[in-house]
């Protein structure tokens, strides 16, 4: 270490809450501070990320630029950014922790070409503050000095540009001829990045928002938030309560609840949270913010509204509100949960007298829980009817609305692409195309080199290519095969060996590589109704890792040696293998082979008949053995209380212009269950292995038992039909659900299972060190330990588990030094990240399903098109209506019996319904309307006829609207098309349509320009592995009928 100079600095800083802070710091100046540049000739110790040398320049942003325009610097296309320590500290002090963390993450992320220069420790770049110099001027001088140091340090080999919004600084420093260019952000973007439209747009909207902020009035609309120390003291003393704000999306203006993380030890009054009523009490807090509330006096407590309809709550509050809840007001916000929001610019109303250049618009967020956001823009007219991404900058107590700026335009509202992008952004899903750098760096060091070096790997892997008949069973056309199976008889038939062989993704995806980081960020492959976004680049998911037939592939295998008679496990082997899958079967083919139906196995097509027969017999025997083992495993879990569900999936099919052409079902086959059971078994055994090896830092998946009170609706509803549901254990629940069958109406059981789903908790990943062993239990699968191991191509959790298993195996064999593992805390953070992303993936899936349902019905006229009329079943009774399920389309929603004009639905003698003035009365298991025509009753589980239409709102997602048109079951008026088999009927018809459309599309395709690379990449219509669907369905999809992958509607036995 070279000579150090020692200073004592006293800094007077202004904190983000406006307080002056005095910081005393010992300050060491050094001659050598790393420059992190690859063109450095001075032997700096540049550990970690360095700036490349093949750039035209490095850019050093001034403090004001980093504080106000960080978003622009976050653009991955901006390269060679040097952040000074001065600027970083300024962000920390003036913008708070959230923004500072963003900057730190940016600096850490290898995908961004930026580094931190500790300019205040560098002897020759540091400049002490002069007497009378303002803090801003001094900071700018520091940054300039740092820029000059870079220029000199790199011996003029790299141009250096300093960007600042301080016009005086531009004038002053430009004239110094130091070799450093000093220009404004706008000039910089225009000169160096003219093609980077996104950055230019951002600059425009941020600078406008900053200008507007200065010209704001100061009349107070809300009370000030209390300072952090007052909040902390208040929480400690119990005067205030801390929690997360959740806005009721049906009553977004008025109702929000504070949910507390740990309420176990305290007030049971608070178990349903604290109600925050009205926007003054909410005091600028927004959905997801971590807030501090103060309870109001009991006299001001209120209940929540339970009616279906909006806007009627106030006048008859006594009748419609539940008992008063603890009610409070927000006194401070600990952490904002601001994200990117999609908004719509409202249609212009006549003459909004605004300045010509810019207009302040109240944009309406797509998410109903978010208040309107005030945006200043010059494009208000052009952007009408468009969806735009915005960010919020501030919400002062003097402003009725938060202020924000636009980030980018998504497109016209109502168009499929715009709506799909909206769904992604609203769920914080970022799926940019994989960069070439990612693909190159990790996977293909050289294009000519083969990727699978069997020879090199033979020493480290068990070679199963000759010894094992390995095959895969997937949906038709599946490209990413991540699981294969094998089964064989050993010891003259006394033993059976079952094998599950999973794609060895971690062989190719090195921990910490660019691909790994991207996969970790995504955490999962995202399946929407019409497309998917892969977690891994296609070269891995569809080729190198994919266990395709007839080629050598690396695998992670689990081999069980079972007693052929009892199927008890003798021993288990885990390890890396080389396999060559002999057959790439699809479900229907595998089932046909099992059923002994005549089949054509493509792999055998070229063989002579004798050889063909032998091989087919071999395969058939293997499939039969597998089925036998799976049945046994299934029965074992059933005895433990696994919940039985069966799914039929309906998937929207789109033609090349993305019009819906079909809803295609897949029939459930036993072979689905067989594959699923083997995968569950492998996941279970790997969970045991890693948990035993790493009791405090293994990634497992638990499914907590549901809370008993969530079963109330289920139990009450079943009782209305004369069934008893026993919810004391999963076994009792599964058994009583099996008993609750109405021979007249199979839907009753289905609906009961649907309600069971809604009572379920969510299955979660966790690190074993964070929970006691009794919490590891997987309720839905009835297993004491469970994890995800079998789908590393599309789930990051499985990649983590593969790495853990690899270390566990290495420790056993004592093969060299073992790699350091993630700590319990790190692993738990990872688990939470993956859980969060999985929730987002499910929400996006559900929303895209609803989007497609709406698209399907939007094109039809509900008054004339018979497809818009369908049978529905009542599954819940509410104050002014009921919730129904439309089995034919898998749609759930409210049916109102009373409208805003006070009219009620009255059924005539033939059951047909019309609106008349009258009243409505709710009972536990039915609801009655009374009018001059007499009374009509709607009971739980009654079948009624509804008309399906689409309610379009400009600013939000379209919604399916259900209207009762008869209180009798639906009977088709078209005798030739019996609708009793509505689903099959519909399916047949749409399949026909799909075929037609496909033909047309093929004809068209010849005349149309080809899809761009990006479009091809994103317009993938491949289906996810069906096993995964089944498994998800089993595990948790029962939660909500709409939450199933794809446009997937469940049928329960
Ligand atoms: Zn250097």
């Amino acid at each position: 270490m070279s000579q150090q100079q020692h200073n004592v600095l006293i800094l007077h800083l202004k904190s983000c809450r406006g307080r002056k802070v005095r910081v005393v710091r010992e300050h060491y100046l050094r001659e050598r501070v790393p420059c992190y540049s690859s063109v450095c000739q001075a032997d700096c110790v540049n550990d970690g990320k360095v700036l490349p040398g093949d750039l035209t320049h490095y850019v050093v942003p001034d403090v004001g630029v980093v504080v106000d325009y960080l978003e622009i610097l976050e653009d991955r296309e901006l390269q060679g950014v040097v952040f000074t320590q001065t600027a970083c500290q300024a962000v920390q002090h003036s913008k708070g922790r959230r923004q500072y963390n963003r900057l730190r993450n940016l600096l850490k992320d290898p995908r961004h070409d930026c580094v931190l220069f500790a300019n205040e420790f560098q002897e020759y770049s540091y400049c002490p503050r002069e007497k009378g110099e303002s803090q801003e001027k001094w900071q700018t001088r520091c940054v300039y000095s740092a820029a000059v140091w870079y220029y000199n340090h790199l011996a003029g080999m790299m141009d250096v540009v300093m960007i600042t919004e301080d016009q005086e600084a531009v004038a002053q420093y430009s004239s110094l001829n130091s070799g450093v260019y000093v220009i404004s952000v706008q000039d910089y973007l225009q000169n160096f990045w003219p093609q980077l439209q996104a950055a230019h747009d951002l600059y425009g909207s941020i600078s406008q928002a900053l200008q507007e902020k200065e010209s704001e009035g100061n009349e107070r609309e809300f009370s000030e938030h209390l300072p952090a120390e007052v909040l902390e003291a208040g929480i400690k003393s119990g005067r205030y309560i801390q929690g997360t704000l959740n806005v009721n999306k049906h009553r977004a203006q008025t109702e929000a609840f504070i949910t507390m993380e740990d309420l176990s030890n305290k007030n049971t009054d608070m178990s349903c949270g604290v109600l925050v009523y009205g926007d003054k009490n909410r005091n600028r807090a927004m959905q997801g913010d971590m807030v501090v509330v103060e309870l109001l006096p009991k006299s001001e407590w209120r209940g929540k509204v339970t009616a279906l309809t909006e806007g009627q709550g106030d006048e008859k509050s006594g009748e419609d509100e539940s008992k008063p809840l603890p009610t409070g007001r927000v006194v401070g916000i600990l952490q904002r949960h601001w994200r990117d929001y999609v908004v719509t610019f409202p249609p212009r109303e006549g003459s909004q007298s605004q300045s010509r250049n810019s207009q302040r618009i109240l944009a309406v967020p797509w998410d109903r829980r978010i208040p309107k956001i005030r945006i200043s823009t010059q494009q208000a007219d052009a952007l009408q009817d468009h969806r735009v991404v915005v960010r919020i900058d501030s919400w002062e107590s003097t402003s009725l609305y938060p202020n924000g700026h636009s980030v980018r335009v998504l497109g016209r509202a109502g168009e499929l692409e715009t709506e799909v992008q909206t769904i992604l952004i609203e769920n914080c899903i970022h799926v940019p195309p994989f960069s070439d750098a990612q693909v190159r760096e990790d996977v293909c060091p050289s294009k000519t080199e083969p990727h699978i070096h069997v020879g090199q790997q033979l020493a480290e892997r068990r070679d199963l290519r000759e010894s094992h008949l390995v095959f895969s069973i997937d949906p038709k056309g599946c490209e990413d095969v991540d699981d294969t199976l094998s089964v064989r008889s050993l010891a003259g038939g006394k033993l059976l060996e079952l094998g599950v062989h999973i794609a060895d993704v971690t062989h190719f995806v090195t921990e910490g590589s660019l691909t790994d980081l991207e996969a970790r960020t995504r955490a999962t492959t995202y399946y929407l109704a019409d497309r998917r976004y892969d977690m891994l680049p296609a070269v891995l998911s569809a080729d190198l890792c994919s266990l395709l037939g007839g080629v050598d592939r690396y695998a992670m295998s689990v081999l069980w040696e079972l007693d052929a008679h009892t199927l008890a496990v003798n021993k288990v082997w885990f390890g890396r293998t080389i396999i060559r899958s002999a057959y790439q079967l699809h479900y229907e083919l595998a089932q046909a082979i099992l059923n002994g139906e005549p089949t054509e196995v493509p792999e055998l097509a070229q063989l002579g008949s004798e050889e063909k027969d032998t091989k087919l017999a071999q395969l058939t025997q293997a499939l039969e053995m597998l089925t036998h083992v799976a049945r046994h495993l299934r029965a074992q879990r059933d005895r433990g209380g696994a919940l039985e569900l069966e799914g039929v999936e309906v998937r929207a099919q789109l033609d090349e212009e993305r019009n819906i052409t079909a809803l295609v079902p897949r029939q459930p086959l036993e072979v689905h269950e067989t594959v699923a059971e083997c995968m569950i078994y492998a996941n279970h055994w790997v969970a045991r292995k890693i948990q035993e090896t790493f009791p405090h830092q293994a990634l497992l998946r638990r499914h907590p038992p549901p809370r008993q009170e969530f079963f109330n609706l289920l139990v009450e509803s079943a009782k209305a039909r004369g069934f008893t549901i026993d919810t004391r254990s999963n076994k009792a629940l599964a058994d009583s659900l099996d008993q609750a069958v109405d021979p007249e109406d199979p839907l009753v059981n289905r609906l009961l299972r649907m309600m069971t789903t809604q009572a379920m908790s969510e299955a979660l990943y966790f690190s074993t060190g964070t929970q006691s062993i009794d919490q590891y239990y997987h309720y839905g699968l009835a297993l004491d330990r469970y994890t995800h191991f079998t789908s590393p191509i599309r789930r990051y959790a499985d990649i983590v588990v593969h790495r853990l298993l690899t270390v566990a195996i290495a420790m056993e064999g004592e093969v060299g030094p073992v790699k350091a593992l993630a700590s319990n805390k790190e692993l738990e953070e990872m688990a939470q990240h993956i859980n969060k992303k999985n929730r987002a993936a499910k929400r996006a899936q559900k929303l895209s399903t609803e989007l497609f349902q709406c698209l399907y019905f939007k094109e039809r006229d509900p008054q004339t098109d018979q497809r818009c009329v369908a049978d529905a079943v009542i599954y819940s009774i509410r104050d002014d209506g009921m919730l129904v399920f439309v089995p034919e389309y898998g749609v759930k929603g409210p049916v109102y019996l009373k409208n805003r004009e006070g009219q009620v639905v009255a059924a005539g003698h033939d059951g047909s319904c019309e609106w008349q003035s009258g009243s409505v009365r709710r009972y536990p298991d039915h609801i009655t309307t009374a009018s001059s025509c007499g009374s009509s009753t709607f009971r739980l589980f009654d079948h009624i006829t509804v008309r399906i239409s689409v309610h379009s709102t400009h600013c939000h997602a379209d919604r399916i609207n259900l209207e009762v048109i008869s209180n009798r079951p639906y009977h088709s008026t078209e005798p030739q098309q019996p609708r009793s088999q509505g689903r099959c009927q519909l399916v047949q018809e749409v399949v026909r349509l799909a075929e037609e459309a496909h033909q047309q599309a093929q004809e068209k395709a010849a005349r149309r320009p080809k899809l761009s690379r990006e479009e091809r990449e994103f317009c993938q219509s491949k289906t996810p592995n069906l096993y995964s669907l089944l498994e998800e369905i089993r595990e948790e999809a029962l939660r909500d009928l709409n939450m199933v992958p794809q446009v997937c509607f469940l049928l329960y036995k």
Side-chain angles (χ1 to χ4, degrees), residues 35-47:
C35 67
Y36 300 111
S37 164
S38 54
V39 291
C40 172
Q41 301 288 315
D43 297 328
C44 283
V45 185
N46 291 328
D47 290 334

Side-chain angles (χ1 to χ4, degrees), residues 35 61 73 122 245 249 282 293 318 431 456 549 567 668 753 773 882 909-910 929 942 957:
C35 67
L73 302 170
Q122 212 309 319
L245 186 95
K249 70 175 168 191
R282 203 183 295 173
V293 289
V431 278
Q456 280 178 17
L567 296 180
R753 286 182 192 272
I773 290 186
M882 56 239 181
H909 296 299
D910 59 349
T929 64
D942 271 0

